[in-house]
Amino acid sequence: MHIFWTIYLGVLGTVAIAFLLKGLRTPSLIVDFIISVITWIGLFGFVTNTSILTPLIWKFVFVGGLLWDVLFSYIGKHDDGEAAMEDISGRAKSILIGVTLLITLGPLYYGLYQYAF
């Protein structure tokens, strides 16, 4: 099981680096990148069983990061995905975003929850 967590950690890190290299053009993308790095550090602590900061801080990171990701995904304006998503109805778009969040970020927040609580 540890190897899967390590692979997931590597994939998230690679995606973060790719976004950084692509360029952070808006303030919301910069905030998203910073929050992603902080949550990645928490997941790193969980996967490697390393104590980084205190559990109280990770509780705030867990709640804040989860709220940010959900709000940013549903409310945020994204330059890249808007053209691809404009043909999809509102309800289908919401379901698609929710399923995508659950699949891609579910393990991150599960691990962060385990690390914080």
Side-chain angles (χ1 to χ4, degrees), residues 26-69:
T26 64
S28 62
L29 287 176
I30 293 169
V31 170
D32 186 56
F33 178 75
I34 291 168
I35 290 173
S36 295
V37 168
I38 293 169
T39 57
W40 187 88
I41 290 169
L43 185 65
F44 177 82
F46 170 72
V47 170
T48 61
N49 200 22
T50 305
S51 181
I52 303 171
L53 302 174
T54 65
L56 179 64
I57 291 173
W58 293 114
K59 288 174 184 166
F60 283 110
V61 169
F62 170 77
V63 172
L66 184 60
L67 283 173
W68 171 262
D69 278 334

Side-chain angles (χ1 to χ4, degrees), residues 97-116:
I97 290 171
V99 169
T100 303
L101 275 175
L102 188 62
I103 291 170
T104 59
L105 296 180
L108 168 67
Y109 285 105
Y110 171 80
L112 201 55
Y113 178 83
Q114 294 295 319
Y115 190 57

